[in-house]
Amino acid sequence: MAPPQPPPGTLSIQDLTVSYGRSVRALTEVSLDLPAGGIVALLGANGAGKSTLLRTVSGTLALHSGAVESGSISLDGTRLTGRSSAHIVAAGVVQVPEGRRVFSALSVEDNLKAGLLGVRGGSRAVVRALFDETYALFPVLAERRRQAAGLLSGGEQQMLAMGRALMARPRVLLLDEPSLGLAPLIVAKIARVIRRIHSQGTGVLLVEQNAALALQLADHAYVLDVGRVRLSGPAAELRESDEVRRLYLGEQDVEGEEGAQATLSDGHPALSRWSA
Ligand code: ATP
């Protein structure tokens, strides 16, 4: 009997080892599962390998002179490793890069249109519906639709970058540091949008140095340390752990503004309970 097919949007990373050139090994035997429609947070200090993991999933690693040495990435059982970034977008995995790169000279609407490049065969009605959905999620983008994207604030540019990715109708959204450099109120807004995206059935792999925010949003979290999975477990458990609160959350009220700004410390705790 054939094995049961996993549900649509299940991302599975198995024993992934990635290097840059001969001397930099950025990931070592990393395994991670994102269930369909789930939110998984990937935490870690600077240089832990978070962006490398996202680049590998989105097929953009070669642009950074990186290469997969071993391991695999699959979506619903179909291998993505070695496929082009265009193929991976068409398969439903879309990345919002760190630094929210938008086309600053283009209007907000034209930036959103650029997200449609990954969508095949969309009729006018489908495209209109995509714009309507995106503008409903980000009303500020509707108000600014004719303005050059470069004139938007940092938070609005983050929303535009997310909106552009959503125009491709992803089954899995890869978010790289969406809170980076944003004021707490804007971070709270972005968090609400991530929850809404999730409630509409899209899976989210969320890379964050802001552990408080990530653990509020995610179902499950992984902590990378020098390219290896150091801890993994349900976000609720990680959030409640005294050691994680002290070392990763700074013992602050994670619902408050200060908690929303908390960042990972450089030293990771050795919690055998969640060791991978
Ligand atoms: P940050 O939050 O600072 O972006 P990160 O967790 O995303 O950190 P990566 O950017 O994935 O970490 O980096 C992992 C390791 O790979 C680091 O040692 C980094 O110096 C190295 N690295 C990243 N990009 C390259 C590259 N293009 N060429 C060589 N080494 C790289």
Side-chain angles (χ1 to χ4, degrees):
M1 203 168 80
Q5 284 294 310
T10 299
L11 186 73
S12 175
I13 297 173
Q14 290 289 323
D15 297 325
L16 191 68
T17 296
V18 170
S19 296
Y20 294 100
R22 290 191 181 175
S23 53
V24 181
R25 173 165 287 185
L27 297 176
T28 305
E29 292 173 5
V30 169
S31 295
L32 178 152
D33 286 307
L34 171 65
I39 304 186
V40 166
L42 184 61
L43 311 174
N46 285 328
K50 306 179 299 296
S51 297
T52 300
L53 187 76
L54 289 195
R55 286 171 188 163
T56 312
V57 175
S58 65
T60 56
L61 186 64
L63 298 177
H64 301 269
S65 314
V68 174
E69 288 192 14
S70 56
S72 67
I73 301 170
S74 58
L75 183 72
D76 297 333
T78 301
R79 199 176 160 94
L80 297 182
T81 336
R83 305 309 299 254
S84 69
S85 53
H87 176 96
I88 291 167
V89 169
V93 180
V94 180
Q95 181 171 7
V96 180
E98 186 185 308
R100 48 203 169 247
R101 279 166 235 135
V102 296
F103 303 110
S104 42
L106 295 185
S107 69
V108 166
E109 190 136 305
D110 285 344
N111 268 272
L112 292 177
K113 265 187 206 150
L116 288 169
L117 295 177
V119 180
R120 268 182 269 168
S123 67
R124 273 188 167 197
V126 168
V127 169
R128 195 61 262 158
L130 280 170
F131 271 106
D132 289 348
E133 275 175 33
T134 304
Y135 285 142
L137 200 55
F138 305 101
V140 69
L141 298 183
E143 287 161 23
R144 309 280 175 92
R145 68 216 299 166
R146 299 200 201 294
Q147 240 179 45
L151 298 175
L152 300 180
S153 70
E156 289 161 352
Q157 288 189 14
Q158 178 63 51
M159 291 178 201
L160 179 55
M162 289 169 71
R164 188 178 58 194
L166 290 172
M167 295 292 283
R169 283 252 154 116
R171 289 191 281 159
V172 174
L173 192 65
L174 309 173
L175 281 175
D176 197 354
E177 304 271 10
S179 78
L180 194 70
L182 301 180
L185 273 179
I186 310 295
V187 172
K189 232 182 219 176
I190 299 280
R192 280 199 293 278
V193 168
I194 294 172
R195 282 205 182 90
R196 271 192 67 187
I197 290 169
H198 165 243
S199 74
Q200 290 165 2
T202 305
V204 179
L205 180 55
L206 173 64
V207 161
E208 264 295 341
Q209 284 207 26
N210 184 334
L213 174 72
L215 292 175
Q216 275 176 44
L217 289 171
D219 312 312
H220 207 92
Y222 292 75
V223 179
L224 277 185
D225 184 19
V226 204
R228 289 180 186 270
V229 175
R230 174 77 176 248
L231 308 169
S232 69
E237 279 186 33
L238 286 159
R239 214 167 45 216
E240 292 309 315
S241 147
D242 287 344
E243 272 178 282
V244 169
R245 287 181 72 88
R246 181 167 50 81
L247 290 167
Y248 292 84
L249 304 173
E251 282 284 12
Q252 288 159 344
D253 171 15
V254 297
E255 294 292 336
E257 289 189 356
E258 297 206 13
Q261 285 184 308
T263 55
L264 279 174
S265 71
D266 279 335
H268 295 316
L271 293 181
S272 54
R273 193 171 158 203
W274 289 298
S275 288

